[in-house]
Structures are given as C-alpha cells and as structure tokens.
Amino acid sequence: MPGNTINPEDWLTALDESGFRVTSVQETLIDIFAHSEYPLSAEQAWEVARQSRPKTGRATVYRMIEKLESLGLIRRVHGYQGCTHFVPTLPELMMLFICLYCGRADYLDGQPLNDLIQQSEQTSGHHITESRLQLFGACSDCQQNA
Amino acid sequence: MPGNTINPEDWLTALDESGFRVTSVQETLIDIFAHSEYPLSAEQAWEVARQSRPKTGRATVYRMIEKLESLGLIRRVHGYQGCTHFVPTLPELMMLFICLYCGRADYLDGQPLNDLIQQSEQTSGHHITESRLQLFGACSDCQQNA
DNA sequence: TTCTTATTGATACCAGGTATCAATAAGGCT
DNA sequence: AGCCTTATTGATACCTGGTATCAATAAGAA
C-alpha cells in the first residue's frame, strides 16, 4: 500500500505562519501524525508521544489535534473505529480508503469524486460545498495474503 | 426538498421477524425516526419520545437506536453536528445530502456512487465492500430563499 | 537578559453513552 | 382467559472520551 508523503517541516511552517508558537510538543505530535500510516486517536497519539516525551499532557494532545484539524493538516476518519481517529490530509483532493483487515489508510485519486459531485449538483439542484467520502474493504495486500 | 417515504409498519415487521418483541416504546421511537426529515440524536429522540410517553428511559432510546442501526433501518450521519445523529435508511442505495442551512436531509440517486466505487476498485486494486459518502451544502430551497 | 504572554501539564469537571438489576409486560402455552 | 417464561424496560450508578481551569513554564520580541 503506497505510503503518504507528508513533510512535517511544512506543518511546523504552517503553524508558525498562523501565528502560533513553535514548541517541542508540537514537533513531537506533528511527527507522530505525519508519519503514521494508520488513523490515530488522541489517546493513541498521547501514548506514542509519552514514549519520547513522558510529561506530555493529555489536554495538550487534544489541543494540538484541534489546531491541526482546523488548519486542515489532519482530517477525521469517519469509520468503523468511530469518528475519533485522524489521518494526515494530502495536498490534493484525495479519497480515503481504510483496509478493514490491516487498518491502514490509502489515498485514491479524487477526480472521480469531483465528477460525482458535479453530476449530483446538476441532477439535484443543491449546491454542494463539502463532501465526505470514505471507502472500506480489503486492500490489495490483504487480498493477496488471504 | 423531497421527503422520505418510510413506512413505520415495515420497521415493526422487521423487528418482529428478527425475533424481537414488539413493544410500545419501539412503536414510539420508530415513528419518531421514520418521520423526521432532520437527523436526530439520541437525546433529541428521547426528548420527543417523552412528550407522548413521559416515562421513557434514556437507556431504552440508546438500545433502540443500536437495534435499528444494526438492522440497517437507520444510519448514522457523519457530519458537522458530530457523528451522533441518525436518519432513516432508504431501501435502495442512496447518497445522503445534508443542507447546512435548514439542516434537512435529502437522498440522491446512488448510481454515481456505484460507478465511482467500481472505477476506484479497478484503479486501486482494493476490494471495496463498504462506502460512506455524505454531501453538504445549500439545498435548492435554501438557495432560493437566500 | 528581561518581559510579555501563548502554551503547557495537572486536576477537576462535564456529557454522551453503557452496565446493572429489579420491575414490568410480550406472547407462547395450556 | 390465565399462567409462565423471559425479553424488555426504567432508574441508577458508572465509565470514558473530551473540555475548562489555572498556576507554572518557556517562546520570542524588545
């Protein structure tokens, strides 16, 4: 499954440019989210963070997640594990696929979604400003190994 | 916005056929969910239920929602109001649209979604067994009145 | 280096949701 | 119809993911 290609530096820059102070917890948490190929919950991220930074506070993790989500750097996965997990947002419009066997996230080309939205706008008469699509199933790897 | 055309009788039948006892709370809650054109949370449904059936318990509402969801009669809306609201499931595959202004749900033909899934399966190599799509924006009514 | 103030971590708190359990009532059986 | 079994209910206590508070810390401008 192709990994994502996120650059944590860009996230720090984004925070900096939005007027936030750059701190060590931020760097820790950004690294964690940017490099995980699995959706992470706040509690999971907290656990990982404390391995390298034991005094990390719980509330801080929630605050960072809120910040990262509001800046569009991570996005919430509305899935089987609930709606409390997050994955990095890729720059282009991508469709999110989650493998129900290995749990990994994969990103698919978003063009079909664009087409769908345009088509649906025309037939329904609604003005669609936001979409949320998630696909679930067996990834190519897990099919092979089954 | 076209209303949904759910028949509460069918839901009772479905519960009955699944081996559940038919009770008065069930009828009350089914009526509430089947007729609402807005996504409802458990607390909201509880509030409405107590208007006609004051002794209705909170846990009972949560239990019924679980039951109805597991039977596929209602589905969770993964949306801006959180992921705790439910709408009736229509028999055919439909795409869910939620108006960000009036809050109402509308159901769009699901064929484009089918096409998208088929297309994405071929290009990605993943086997897609489940999809979750939600569209948000301004419904045709709300655009008119803006 | 100093000073201001955003950020942090610890704690208490809140709310949505679940487990427990005695009381109730569906509905099969006679 | 009445009885009996047991699923369902309602009240309560509880749990857990997430938030508000606030003193202590540390960015980063001067």
Side-chain angles (χ1 to χ4, degrees), chain B residues 21-22 42-43 58-59 62-63 84:
Chain B
R21 292 186 183 167
V22 174
E43 302 293 319
R58 207 162 83 99
Y62 281 95
R63 282 187 287 239
T84 56

Side-chain angles (χ1 to χ4, degrees), chain B:
Chain B
M1 190 138 66
N4 73 63
T5 50
I6 298 285
N7 184 4
E9 291 302 317
D10 298 341
W11 292 22
L12 285 171
T13 309
L15 279 170
D16 193 25
E17 284 174 353
S18 304
F20 295 111
R21 292 186 183 167
V22 174
T23 67
S24 82
V25 212
Q26 281 183 7
E27 292 179 34
T28 304
L29 284 168
I30 282 178
D31 253 21
I32 289 168
F33 277 107
H35 289 128
S36 171
E37 53 179 340
Y38 302 90
L40 287 178
S41 68
E43 302 293 319
Q44 288 171 338
W46 186 36
E47 199 184 320
V48 178
R50 276 178 300 167
Q51 288 169 13
S52 61
R53 218 175 149 286
K55 293 211 307 181
T56 305
R58 207 162 83 99
T60 305
V61 175
Y62 281 95
R63 282 187 287 239
M64 266 309 287
I65 286 178
E66 194 186 354
K67 216 172 270 181
L68 293 176
E69 194 187 13
S70 76
L71 291 174
L73 297 170
I74 59 175
R75 71 195 244 202
R76 194 177 287 268
V77 175
H78 298 263
Y80 282 93
Q81 323 148 43
C83 304
T84 56
H85 288 64
F86 296 84
V87 293
T89 309
L90 295 195
E92 329 78 57
L93 176 65
M94 290 289 201
M95 307 191 303
L96 188 59
F97 170 86
I98 307 272
C99 177
L100 295 175
Y101 298 89
C102 66
R104 279 184 292 177
D106 192 21
Y107 298 85
L108 313 181
D109 171 31
Q111 193 51 47
L113 181 53
N114 272 328
D115 298 345
L116 178 150
I117 290 172
Q118 223 171 341
Q119 190 178 344
S120 302
E121 274 193 316
Q122 289 183 0
T123 57
S124 69
H126 302 147
H127 180 44
I128 298 173
T129 56
E130 174 103 18
S131 66
R132 196 158 289 169
L133 171 64
Q134 259 147 229
L135 303 170
F136 302 90
C139 76
S140 41
D141 290 357
C142 286
Q143 284 173 71
Q144 300 260 316
N145 306 336

Side-chain angles (χ1 to χ4, degrees), chain A residues 11-61:
Chain A
W11 292 21
L12 285 171
T13 309
L15 278 170
D16 192 25
E17 283 174 355
S18 303
F20 296 112
R21 290 186 184 168
V22 175
T23 67
S24 81
V25 213
Q26 281 183 6
E27 291 179 34
T28 304
L29 285 169
I30 282 179
D31 254 20
I32 290 169
F33 277 107
H35 289 129
S36 171
E37 52 179 340
Y38 303 90
L40 288 178
S41 68
E43 301 292 320
Q44 288 171 338
W46 187 35
E47 201 183 319
V48 178
R50 275 177 301 169
Q51 288 169 12
S52 61
R53 217 174 151 287
K55 293 210 309 180
T56 305
R58 207 162 82 100
T60 305
V61 176

Side-chain angles (χ1 to χ4, degrees), chain A residues 12 18-19 36 58-59 71 84 88 90 98-99 102 104 109 115 133:
Chain A
L12 285 171
S18 303
S36 171
R58 207 162 82 100
L71 290 175
T84 57
L90 294 194
I98 308 272
C99 177
C102 66
R104 278 185 292 178
D109 171 31
D115 298 345
L133 171 65

